[in-house]
Amino acid sequence: MKHEKQIIDKLLHRDIKPTAMRILVLDMLLKQEYAISLNDLEMMFDKADRVTLFRTLKTFEKHRLIHRIDDGTGAFKYALCNDACDCTPEEFHVHFHCIGCKKTYCLPDSPVPGIRLPKNFKMQEMNIVIKGWCEKCSSISSSFDQQVE
């Protein structure tokens, strides 16, 4: 496992008790280049209980170690927050969902634009998802289009 002490420190930094399952799940999340669903996570752990995995994700989300993404596919995706993130509206960012490979990516360098709400409205969540072709799928799609012409 990749740097178990660093993983434990990351959990402790967010006031999360480092159990064996939490360490394993965080290690798996650190290896991901895109957001993953509960189903994806369940497939990565052959013998893990779905409820335990779900509770682990909920604990991580509650303590702002990860954030949940509704990319319109019907299954929430989860991705790591950066170490300094408090998941405030100023830190919200855009996500990208590839219609080719079905992967959802965080775009942390693309903050959500400021939204002015009417008086007495209070934002609870915000989600902006761009859908299109990721770099890999875009090149595959272009190659296919050129062959068809």
Side-chain angles (χ1 to χ4, degrees):
M1 185 181 324
K2 176 188 172 183
H3 309 104
E4 187 170 342
K5 174 153 177 22
Q6 288 178 323
I7 292 169
I8 291 170
D9 288 346
K10 202 176 241 325
L11 290 169
L12 292 173
H13 175 72
R14 295 294 182 160
D15 296 321
I16 301 170
K17 181 180 177 185
T19 65
M21 181 55 75
R22 290 172 181 170
I23 292 168
L24 289 171
V25 170
L26 180 52
D27 184 49
M28 190 62 69
L29 289 169
L30 287 164
K31 295 175 183 174
Q32 302 307 307
E33 295 179 10
Y34 51 88
I36 62 172
S37 69
L38 174 60
N39 286 340
D40 295 334
L41 192 59
E42 191 176 18
M43 299 271 223
M44 295 172 191
F45 292 102
D46 292 337
K47 295 182 169 64
D49 177 52
R50 181 179 181 84
V51 173
T52 302
L53 291 173
F54 178 75
R55 287 182 180 156
T56 299
L57 291 173
K58 294 311 280 177
T59 297
F60 286 3
E61 185 179 7
K62 177 183 172 189
H63 290 270
R64 298 181 177 120
L65 181 62
I66 62 172
H67 60 279
R68 181 180 58 178
I69 305 156
D70 179 356
D71 61 8
T73 62
F76 288 119
K77 304 292 186 326
Y78 300 89
L80 285 172
C81 294
N82 68 42
D83 287 337
C85 180
D86 285 322
C87 295
T88 62
E90 297 79 29
E91 296 170 309
F92 291 166
H93 55 267
V94 174
H95 295 93
F96 184 90
H97 179 74
C98 179
I99 56 179
C101 64
K102 311 294 186 222
K103 294 176 182 170
T104 299
Y105 299 87
C106 289
L107 303 178
D109 294 332
S110 299
V112 171
I115 306 292
R116 292 185 57 178
L117 296 175
K119 185 178 179 181
N120 298 322
F121 280 54
K122 185 176 179 183
M123 177 177 48
Q124 184 65 34
E125 294 181 29
M126 183 185 302
N127 189 41
I128 296 181
V129 178
I130 298 170
K131 296 184 180 187
W133 300 92
C134 69
E135 182 178 29
K136 182 179 176 185
C137 292
S138 182
S139 63
I140 293 170
S141 173
S142 295
S143 297
F144 180 74
D145 290 344
Q146 290 174 355
Q147 290 177 359
V148 173
E149 293 175 356

